[in-house]
PDB file of all heavy atoms in Angstrom:
ATOM      1  N   VAL A 139      82.462 114.014 171.980  1.00 90.00           N
ATOM      2  CA  VAL A 139      82.888 113.235 170.812  1.00 90.00           C
ATOM      3  C   VAL A 139      83.480 114.151 169.749  1.00 90.00           C
ATOM      4  O   VAL A 139      84.519 113.847 169.149  1.00 90.00           O
ATOM      5  CB  VAL A 139      81.694 112.436 170.242  1.00 90.00           C
ATOM      6  CG1 VAL A 139      82.041 111.828 168.882  1.00 90.00           C
ATOM      7  CG2 VAL A 139      81.276 111.342 171.212  1.00 90.00           C
ATOM      8  N   SER A 142      86.946 115.308 170.850  1.00 90.00           N
ATOM      9  CA  SER A 142      87.927 114.232 170.691  1.00 90.00           C
ATOM     10  C   SER A 142      88.304 114.052 169.220  1.00 90.00           C
ATOM     11  O   SER A 142      89.483 113.902 168.876  1.00 90.00           O
ATOM     12  CB  SER A 142      87.362 112.923 171.253  1.00 90.00           C
ATOM     13  OG  SER A 142      88.287 111.869 171.107  1.00 90.00           O
ATOM     14  N   PHE A 143      87.296 114.076 168.349  1.00 90.00           N
ATOM     15  CA  PHE A 143      87.555 113.943 166.912  1.00 90.00           C
ATOM     16  C   PHE A 143      88.437 115.089 166.402  1.00 90.00           C
ATOM     17  O   PHE A 143      89.382 114.868 165.648  1.00 90.00           O
ATOM     18  CB  PHE A 143      86.236 113.921 166.142  1.00 90.00           C
ATOM     19  CG  PHE A 143      86.407 114.114 164.659  1.00 90.00           C
ATOM     20  CD1 PHE A 143      86.852 113.069 163.858  1.00 90.00           C
ATOM     21  CD2 PHE A 143      86.148 115.345 164.067  1.00 90.00           C
ATOM     22  CE1 PHE A 143      87.036 113.248 162.495  1.00 90.00           C
ATOM     23  CE2 PHE A 143      86.328 115.542 162.709  1.00 90.00           C
ATOM     24  CZ  PHE A 143      86.774 114.478 161.925  1.00 90.00           C
ATOM     25  N   LEU A 146      92.092 114.618 167.505  1.00 87.00           N
ATOM     26  CA  LEU A 146      92.755 113.549 166.751  1.00 87.00           C
ATOM     27  C   LEU A 146      92.997 113.966 165.301  1.00 87.00           C
ATOM     28  O   LEU A 146      94.061 113.717 164.742  1.00 87.00           O
ATOM     29  CB  LEU A 146      91.896 112.282 166.789  1.00 87.00           C
ATOM     30  CG  LEU A 146      91.871 111.514 168.116  1.00 87.00           C
ATOM     31  CD1 LEU A 146      90.806 110.431 168.077  1.00 87.00           C
ATOM     32  CD2 LEU A 146      93.234 110.908 168.410  1.00 87.00           C
ATOM     33  N   TYR A 147      92.013 114.591 164.705  1.00 88.00           N
ATOM     34  CA  TYR A 147      92.142 115.000 163.295  1.00 88.00           C
ATOM     35  C   TYR A 147      93.237 116.046 163.122  1.00 88.00           C
ATOM     36  O   TYR A 147      93.967 116.044 162.122  1.00 88.00           O
ATOM     37  CB  TYR A 147      90.809 115.547 162.795  1.00 88.00           C
ATOM     38  CG  TYR A 147      90.858 116.028 161.359  1.00 88.00           C
ATOM     39  CD1 TYR A 147      90.912 115.113 160.307  1.00 88.00           C
ATOM     40  CD2 TYR A 147      90.873 117.387 161.061  1.00 88.00           C
ATOM     41  CE1 TYR A 147      90.973 115.542 158.990  1.00 88.00           C
ATOM     42  CE2 TYR A 147      90.935 117.825 159.752  1.00 88.00           C
ATOM     43  CZ  TYR A 147      90.992 116.897 158.720  1.00 88.00           C
ATOM     44  OH  TYR A 147      91.058 117.325 157.423  1.00 88.00           O
ATOM     45  N   LEU A 152      93.795 112.956 159.165  1.00 85.00           N
ATOM     46  CA  LEU A 152      93.206 111.754 158.578  1.00 85.00           C
ATOM     47  C   LEU A 152      91.769 111.638 159.082  1.00 85.00           C
ATOM     48  O   LEU A 152      91.526 111.224 160.228  1.00 85.00           O
ATOM     49  CB  LEU A 152      94.020 110.511 158.966  1.00 85.00           C
ATOM     50  CG  LEU A 152      95.467 110.479 158.458  1.00 85.00           C
ATOM     51  CD1 LEU A 152      96.202 109.267 159.016  1.00 85.00           C
ATOM     52  CD2 LEU A 152      95.509 110.468 156.936  1.00 85.00           C
ATOM     53  N   PHE A 153      90.831 112.004 158.235  1.00 89.00           N
ATOM     54  CA  PHE A 153      89.428 112.116 158.653  1.00 89.00           C
ATOM     55  C   PHE A 153      88.855 110.792 159.156  1.00 89.00           C
ATOM     56  O   PHE A 153      88.346 110.703 160.276  1.00 89.00           O
ATOM     57  CB  PHE A 153      88.589 112.647 157.490  1.00 89.00           C
ATOM     58  CG  PHE A 153      87.126 112.786 157.819  1.00 89.00           C
ATOM     59  CD1 PHE A 153      86.653 113.941 158.421  1.00 89.00           C
ATOM     60  CD2 PHE A 153      86.236 111.761 157.533  1.00 89.00           C
ATOM     61  CE1 PHE A 153      85.299 114.081 158.732  1.00 89.00           C
ATOM     62  CE2 PHE A 153      84.884 111.892 157.843  1.00 89.00           C
ATOM     63  CZ  PHE A 153      84.414 113.046 158.437  1.00 89.00           C
ATOM     64  N   TRP A 154      88.907 109.761 158.319  1.00 89.00           N
ATOM     65  CA  TRP A 154      88.246 108.508 158.664  1.00 89.00           C
ATOM     66  C   TRP A 154      88.942 107.798 159.827  1.00 89.00           C
ATOM     67  O   TRP A 154      88.285 107.154 160.648  1.00 89.00           O
ATOM     68  CB  TRP A 154      88.165 107.587 157.445  1.00 89.00           C
ATOM     69  CG  TRP A 154      87.231 108.106 156.406  1.00 89.00           C
ATOM     70  CD1 TRP A 154      87.562 108.608 155.179  1.00 89.00           C
ATOM     71  CD2 TRP A 154      85.809 108.228 156.519  1.00 89.00           C
ATOM     72  NE1 TRP A 154      86.451 109.028 154.504  1.00 89.00           N
ATOM     73  CE2 TRP A 154      85.343 108.805 155.300  1.00 89.00           C
ATOM     74  CE3 TRP A 154      84.880 107.898 157.509  1.00 89.00           C
ATOM     75  CZ2 TRP A 154      84.001 109.053 155.071  1.00 89.00           C
ATOM     76  CZ3 TRP A 154      83.538 108.149 157.270  1.00 89.00           C
ATOM     77  CH2 TRP A 154      83.110 108.717 156.073  1.00 89.00           C
ATOM     78  N   ARG A 155      90.239 107.919 159.889  1.00 87.00           N
ATOM     79  CA  ARG A 155      90.968 107.331 161.023  1.00 87.00           C
ATOM     80  C   ARG A 155      90.540 108.000 162.328  1.00 87.00           C
ATOM     81  O   ARG A 155      90.243 107.325 163.316  1.00 87.00           O
ATOM     82  CB  ARG A 155      92.477 107.495 160.812  1.00 87.00           C
ATOM     83  CG  ARG A 155      93.335 107.016 161.982  1.00 87.00           C
ATOM     84  CD  ARG A 155      94.786 107.421 161.760  1.00 87.00           C
ATOM     85  NE  ARG A 155      95.610 107.123 162.923  1.00 87.00           N
ATOM     86  CZ  ARG A 155      96.264 105.980 163.123  1.00 87.00           C
ATOM     87  NH1 ARG A 155      96.188 105.041 162.219  1.00 87.00           N
ATOM     88  NH2 ARG A 155      96.993 105.803 164.203  1.00 87.00           N
ATOM     89  N   SER A 156      90.510 109.317 162.314  1.00 87.00           N
ATOM     90  CA  SER A 156      90.125 110.067 163.510  1.00 87.00           C
ATOM     91  C   SER A 156      88.680 109.762 163.908  1.00 87.00           C
ATOM     92  O   SER A 156      88.376 109.573 165.095  1.00 87.00           O
ATOM     93  CB  SER A 156      90.283 111.567 163.265  1.00 87.00           C
ATOM     94  OG  SER A 156      91.602 111.871 162.878  1.00 87.00           O
ATOM     95  N   LEU A 157      87.815 109.695 162.916  1.00 89.00           N
ATOM     96  CA  LEU A 157      86.405 109.399 163.176  1.00 89.00           C
ATOM     97  C   LEU A 157      86.241 107.982 163.742  1.00 89.00           C
ATOM     98  O   LEU A 157      85.487 107.768 164.694  1.00 89.00           O
ATOM     99  CB  LEU A 157      85.595 109.545 161.893  1.00 89.00           C
ATOM    100  CG  LEU A 157      84.075 109.349 162.015  1.00 89.00           C
ATOM    101  CD1 LEU A 157      83.479 110.420 162.918  1.00 89.00           C
ATOM    102  CD2 LEU A 157      83.421 109.378 160.635  1.00 89.00           C
ATOM    103  N   GLY A 158      86.970 107.025 163.155  1.00 90.00           N
ATOM    104  CA  GLY A 158      86.874 105.641 163.611  1.00 90.00           C
ATOM    105  C   GLY A 158      87.351 105.462 165.036  1.00 90.00           C
ATOM    106  O   GLY A 158      86.702 104.788 165.851  1.00 90.00           O
ATOM    107  N   ILE A 159      88.504 106.043 165.360  1.00 89.00           N
ATOM    108  CA  ILE A 159      89.049 105.934 166.719  1.00 89.00           C
ATOM    109  C   ILE A 159      88.100 106.570 167.732  1.00 89.00           C
ATOM    110  O   ILE A 159      87.836 106.017 168.798  1.00 89.00           O
ATOM    111  CB  ILE A 159      90.439 106.592 166.799  1.00 89.00           C
ATOM    112  CG1 ILE A 159      91.454 105.799 165.976  1.00 89.00           C
ATOM    113  CG2 ILE A 159      90.909 106.694 168.250  1.00 89.00           C
ATOM    114  CD1 ILE A 159      92.819 106.444 165.877  1.00 89.00           C
ATOM    115  N   THR A 160      87.565 107.735 167.381  1.00 91.00           N
ATOM    116  CA  THR A 160      86.643 108.424 168.282  1.00 91.00           C
ATOM    117  C   THR A 160      85.373 107.609 168.499  1.00 91.00           C
ATOM    118  O   THR A 160      84.888 107.475 169.631  1.00 91.00           O
ATOM    119  CB  THR A 160      86.268 109.810 167.715  1.00 91.00           C
ATOM    120  OG1 THR A 160      87.453 110.564 167.489  1.00 91.00           O
ATOM    121  CG2 THR A 160      85.370 110.552 168.676  1.00 91.00           C
ATOM    122  N   PHE A 161      84.833 107.054 167.424  1.00 92.00           N
ATOM    123  CA  PHE A 161      83.597 106.263 167.520  1.00 92.00           C
ATOM    124  C   PHE A 161      83.818 105.010 168.373  1.00 92.00           C
ATOM    125  O   PHE A 161      82.980 104.677 169.225  1.00 92.00           O
ATOM    126  CB  PHE A 161      83.120 105.869 166.119  1.00 92.00           C
ATOM    127  CG  PHE A 161      81.871 105.039 166.117  1.00 92.00           C
ATOM    128  CD1 PHE A 161      80.642 105.623 166.396  1.00 92.00           C
ATOM    129  CD2 PHE A 161      81.921 103.677 165.854  1.00 92.00           C
ATOM    130  CE1 PHE A 161      79.484 104.853 166.407  1.00 92.00           C
ATOM    131  CE2 PHE A 161      80.770 102.902 165.867  1.00 92.00           C
ATOM    132  CZ  PHE A 161      79.540 103.498 166.139  1.00 92.00           C
ATOM    133  N   ILE A 162      84.943 104.332 168.152  1.00 92.00           N
ATOM    134  CA  ILE A 162      85.238 103.121 168.936  1.00 92.00           C
ATOM    135  C   ILE A 162      85.400 103.470 170.416  1.00 92.00           C
ATOM    136  O   ILE A 162      84.890 102.767 171.295  1.00 92.00           O
ATOM    137  CB  ILE A 162      86.515 102.445 168.400  1.00 92.00           C
ATOM    138  CG1 ILE A 162      86.255 101.855 167.009  1.00 92.00           C
ATOM    139  CG2 ILE A 162      86.988 101.346 169.350  1.00 92.00           C
ATOM    140  CD1 ILE A 162      87.489 101.337 166.309  1.00 92.00           C
ATOM    141  N   ALA A 163      86.099 104.577 170.701  1.00 90.00           N
ATOM    142  CA  ALA A 163      86.281 105.006 172.095  1.00 90.00           C
ATOM    143  C   ALA A 163      84.938 105.335 172.732  1.00 90.00           C
ATOM    144  O   ALA A 163      84.696 105.009 173.907  1.00 90.00           O
ATOM    145  CB  ALA A 163      87.197 106.224 172.144  1.00 90.00           C
TER     146      ALA A 163
END
Side-chain angles (χ1 to χ4, degrees):
V139 169
S142 180
F143 166 77
L146 286 170
Y147 178 74
L152 297 175
F153 180 86
W154 291 110
R155 175 189 173 91
S156 303
L157 184 63
I159 293 174
T160 304
F161 179 74
I162 291 172

